[in-house]
Each structure stands twice: as structure tokens, then as C-alpha cells.
Amino acid sequence: MVRVTHWITTLCFFALLITGIEIVISHPRFYWGEAGNVLTPALFELPIPASRPTVPTGYGFVLPDQNGWSRYLHFQAAWIAVSTGLLYAVYGLFTRHFRKNLLPAAGDLSGRALWSEIASHLRFKPPGEAEARSYNVLQRLTYLFVIFVAFPLAIWTGLAMSPAIASAFPATVTVFGGQQSARTIHFFVSVFLLLFLLVHIAMVWLAGFRNRMRAMITGRAGAHKEHA
């Protein structure tokens, strides 16, 4: 179940990333509060051209407008990701997966233990056989943060931008200070998740790419012979 939900979420994330980029290109300006448009000052702007000629970006050209299909696919991928995440959460709670595999032991949270893990990663030292078969404390804390903070926040802020959800449940928007605030937070959470993905891929490569991929696909890992 963990492997299946992992790969479904991976496909959904790539779909969300590509379509999210297309959506941002249509209006690469971010605001804070409830309202924001080309006539109001932006909180910040991305230094890229837009796909709409009415959006001032400083460029003398516009990109092809892909906003229609990208929004449709973005919403579809998001609902699949939400359903998959709920399935994973229910499975993790009932099988004690989170407690057994992700929740750090009390001794692992000491300053000395955390610093030892950080120093080990800064040396880019490949993990040993025993280390490769379980998550270290930094991995556990990061995965818990992504699963229970970053992904739920991305979902919440995404729903807050929906006019239907905002009309039915105004509190989902007002807690962020408005739809434009939710959009800005959604952007930063998405950037964090992208950085997490890049580091995740780098760590898989460091641990032995073929071995880790075999384990994530089949559930079985061969002898740990690869080194980055």
C-alpha cells in the first residue's frame, strides 16, 4: 500500500507541478489579502513573461496561453492526490505504519543525535546496509512534516482558491486573510515541496539508485553494492 500510494502521488505531483507552472504563467504576480489584479500593487512578481497580454511583466511578448487544459488537469490530479493521501493516512493509522516507521524515538530528538545526522549528510556519506533499510531521524521528521503539514496546507490553500468552496465554507479563506493570500501561500508551499522532491531524488541516488528504485517498486532490495 505504501509503494502504490507513493507512485500514484508521484504521478499526481508531476501533473500538479507542470500544470501549476502553466497556471502561474497566466498571471505571474502575487498579492496579499482578498483582491489582486493588474491594477493593484503586487506583493512580488516573478521575472517571467505572462501568457496574457493584459498582465504587465515588462516583456514585449507573451507566452502561449495554456490556462484552460492546465487548470482542468490540475484539479483532476489534485483530487486524485487527496484521495490517495486519505487512503495512505487511514492505512498508516490502522497498521501503525507512522508509529513504527516514521515517528522518531525520544532519544533521537536530542541535540547531539540531530547534529550527528546533519553532519553525516553534509559529508554526503553513503549509508551502510543497516542504515539503508530504515529511515534516519532527519528523514522521519521531514516525511512527517511533508505528510502532515506541507501537503495538507497545499490542499487547504488550493481549496481556498475555489469560489465554490469559499462560498460554502468561508472560514477556509478568511483564516488566510483572503484568496490572494491563500494563492501566495500555496505558491510557497509548492516551491518547498519541489525542493523536497529534488533533495529526495538526490538522497535516493546517494543511497544507491538501482537498489532504492527496486525496493520502491518491488518491495525487495538486493545487496547494497552501489555508492554515489
Side-chain angles (χ1 to χ4, degrees), residues 140-196:
R140 292 170 186 260
L141 292 175
T142 304
Y143 292 154
L144 287 174
F145 181 82
V146 168
I147 294 169
F148 292 106
V149 179
F151 263 118
L153 185 57
I155 294 168
W156 190 349
T157 53
L159 291 174
M161 289 185 283
S162 167
I165 297 295
S167 299
F169 308 100
T172 60
V173 182
T174 56
V175 70
F176 297 114
Q179 286 189 318
Q180 293 300 327
S181 301
R183 179 174 180 261
T184 300
I185 296 172
H186 190 78
F187 171 77
F188 281 113
V189 174
S190 301
V191 171
F192 168 80
L193 289 174
L194 175 60
L195 293 175
F196 164 78

Side-chain angles (χ1 to χ4, degrees), residues 27-74:
H27 195 105
R29 291 161 55 91
F30 292 85
Y31 312 88
W32 194 261
E34 180 60 35
N37 52 62
V38 296
L39 301 178
T40 58
L43 183 65
F44 68 93
E45 303 179 28
L46 298 181
I48 59 175
S51 60
R52 294 179 176 178
T54 56
V55 181
T57 60
Y59 289 87
F61 62 94
V62 295
L63 298 174
D65 190 358
Q66 306 290 335
N67 197 47
W69 71 265
S70 61
R71 285 183 178 273
Y72 180 82
L73 180 56
H74 197 80

Side-chain angles (χ1 to χ4, degrees), residues 7-220:
W7 288 113
I8 294 176
T9 303
T10 300
L11 294 175
C12 290
F13 184 80
F14 277 111
L16 290 167
L17 178 63
I18 294 171
T19 55
I21 291 173
E22 292 291 350
I23 294 172
V24 167
I25 288 175
S26 68
H27 195 105
R29 291 161 55 91
F30 292 85
Y31 312 88
W32 194 261
E34 180 60 35
N37 52 62
V38 296
L39 301 178
T40 58
L43 183 65
F44 68 93
E45 303 179 28
L46 298 181
I48 59 175
S51 60
R52 294 179 176 178
T54 56
V55 181
T57 60
Y59 289 87
F61 62 94
V62 295
L63 298 174
D65 190 358
Q66 306 290 335
N67 197 47
W69 71 265
S70 61
R71 285 183 178 273
Y72 180 82
L73 180 56
H74 197 80
F75 297 148
Q76 295 299 319
W79 283 118
I80 296 174
V82 169
S83 302
T84 304
L86 290 175
L87 178 62
Y88 171 73
V90 171
Y91 170 83
L93 291 174
F94 274 91
T95 62
R96 300 172 64 88
H97 165 69
F98 300 129
R99 179 178 293 275
K100 291 187 295 185
N101 299 317
L102 293 181
L103 193 66
D108 294 334
L109 298 176
S110 66
R112 178 174 297 180
L114 286 174
W115 175 248
S116 176
E117 289 289 349
I118 294 173
S120 174
H121 286 297
L122 288 177
R123 292 194 299 268
F124 294 99
K125 179 183 177 182
E129 179 68 20
E131 294 175 312
R133 294 184 178 275
S134 63
Y135 298 131
N136 60 52
V137 62
L138 285 182
Q139 288 174 313
R140 292 170 186 260
L141 292 175
T142 304
Y143 292 154
L144 287 174
F145 181 82
V146 168
I147 294 169
F148 292 106
V149 179
F151 263 118
L153 185 57
I155 294 168
W156 190 349
T157 53
L159 291 174
M161 289 185 283
S162 167
I165 297 295
S167 299
F169 308 100
T172 60
V173 182
T174 56
V175 70
F176 297 114
Q179 286 189 318
Q180 293 300 327
S181 301
R183 179 174 180 261
T184 300
I185 296 172
H186 190 78
F187 171 77
F188 281 113
V189 174
S190 301
V191 171
F192 168 80
L193 289 174
L194 175 60
L195 293 175
F196 164 78
L197 174 64
L198 296 177
V199 174
H200 182 61
I201 294 174
M203 296 307 297
V204 170
W205 185 272
L206 180 67
F209 185 78
R210 281 185 292 183
N211 243 6
R212 294 297 92 202
M213 289 297 292
R214 185 186 302 114
M216 288 190 291
I217 294 173
T218 67
R220 298 185 297 272

